[in-house]
Amino acid sequence: MRLSDLPKGTAAVVDRVDDAHANDPIAQRLRDLGFVDGEAVRVVACAPLGADPLLVQIGFTRFALRRAEAARVAVRSGVAA
């Protein structure tokens, strides 16, 4: 499942961040921000009219991500160990 498809309020765990192309700076920035394997994540809120951007919480930090950016993050259900 993709972070962009995660229902609001549902707990999940980051599986991986996919690169759109070689040396993808957006994917690398997501990893630098903490979107790494095993981190707990959830969608806190969605903007009205198209739900773009998404307010995403990872750890104690919240980020506004465009839906296209969130689609690069693969998640699995559950809570981090």
Side-chain angles (χ1 to χ4, degrees):
M1 173 182 273
R2 295 293 166 178
L3 181 57
S4 57
D5 300 325
L6 191 66
K8 180 180 161 186
T10 305
V13 177
V14 174
D15 191 29
R16 68 184 182 282
V17 175
D18 295 326
D19 294 275
H21 50 78
N23 300 319
D24 184 355
I26 294 172
Q28 184 57 50
R29 181 68 176 148
L30 288 169
R31 288 185 204 99
D32 292 343
L33 291 171
F35 290 87
V36 294
D37 184 31
E39 286 296 319
V41 65
R42 70 183 176 101
V43 175
V44 176
C46 302
L49 302 175
D52 202 13
L54 302 172
L55 181 61
V56 176
Q57 182 168 335
I58 188 157
F60 295 105
T61 308
R62 292 181 175 188
F63 298 98
L65 296 180
R66 292 183 182 111
R67 191 163 283 283
E69 295 166 343
R72 295 178 190 208
V73 181
V75 297
R76 59 187 183 270
S77 52
V79 179

